[in-house]
């Protein structure tokens, strides 16, 4: 069975891009969220194998969302997606429990590599 992924990004075109990369590589995108609050609800509902999480979003940012998801599931596998120049935030995200990060604009092979490493 395909590994399930929840895609979290406030930009619809970014979610579409990630979804496209994932489905082409045999992953099942089971849900999408446009901010950390929605991501938290969807995580509880869908229990995906992995989450791709944007850092900068309205209502609840990605780092807070990582902390909240890890509270309900300490084993959650989360990969951060960040724009260039967000290195300090990426470090915060890793300390909060993210497994890896991918820099935008995405290189499909890097996304797939990070995901397969995180899922194991």
């Amino acid at each position: 069975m395909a590994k399930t992924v929840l895609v979290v990004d406030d930009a619809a075109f970014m979610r579409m891009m990630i979804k496209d990369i994932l489905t082409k590589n045999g992953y099942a995108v089971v849900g999408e969220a446009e901010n950390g609050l929605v991501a938290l609800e969807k995580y509880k509902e869908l229990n995906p194998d992995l989450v791709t999480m944007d850092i900068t979003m309205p209502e609840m940012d990605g780092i807070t969302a990582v902390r909240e998801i890890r509270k309900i599931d300490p084993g959650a596998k989360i990969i951060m997606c960040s724009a260039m120049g967000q290195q300090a935030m990426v470090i915060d995200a890793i300390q909060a429990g993210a497994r890896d990060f991918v820099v935008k604009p995405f290189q499909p092979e890097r996304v797939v590599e990070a995901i397969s490493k995180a899922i194991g």
Side-chain angles (χ1 to χ4, degrees), residues 15-84:
R15 292 197 306 269
M16 189 64 93
M17 207 187 291
I18 297 169
K19 214 161 69 168
D20 190 48
I21 293 169
L22 294 174
T23 50
K24 280 182 179 157
N25 286 279
Y27 295 95
V29 176
V30 290
E32 295 180 39
E34 63 279 0
N35 64 52
L37 278 177
V38 176
L40 195 55
E41 290 311 308
K42 294 253 178 146
Y43 189 89
K44 290 177 196 169
E45 177 193 323
L46 302 166
N47 195 19
D49 295 311
L50 182 109
V51 180
T52 65
M53 180 80 68
D54 186 21
I55 291 182
T56 319
M57 295 180 290
E59 294 187 55
M60 182 191 287
D61 66 74
I63 294 168
T64 306
V66 169
R67 287 194 183 104
E68 293 302 313
I69 288 171
R70 301 271 306 186
K71 276 182 198 166
I72 56 171
D73 179 4
K77 295 175 174 72
I78 305 166
I79 291 176
M80 302 309 289
C81 301
S82 73
M84 287 299 233

Side-chain angles (χ1 to χ4, degrees), residues 55 63 66-67 80 82 85-101:
I55 291 182
I63 294 168
V66 169
R67 287 194 183 104
M80 302 309 289
S82 73
Q86 290 183 319
Q87 275 72 13
M89 287 177 160
V90 167
I91 292 165
D92 287 349
I94 300 290
Q95 288 170 341
R99 298 281 177 106
D100 202 347
F101 68 94

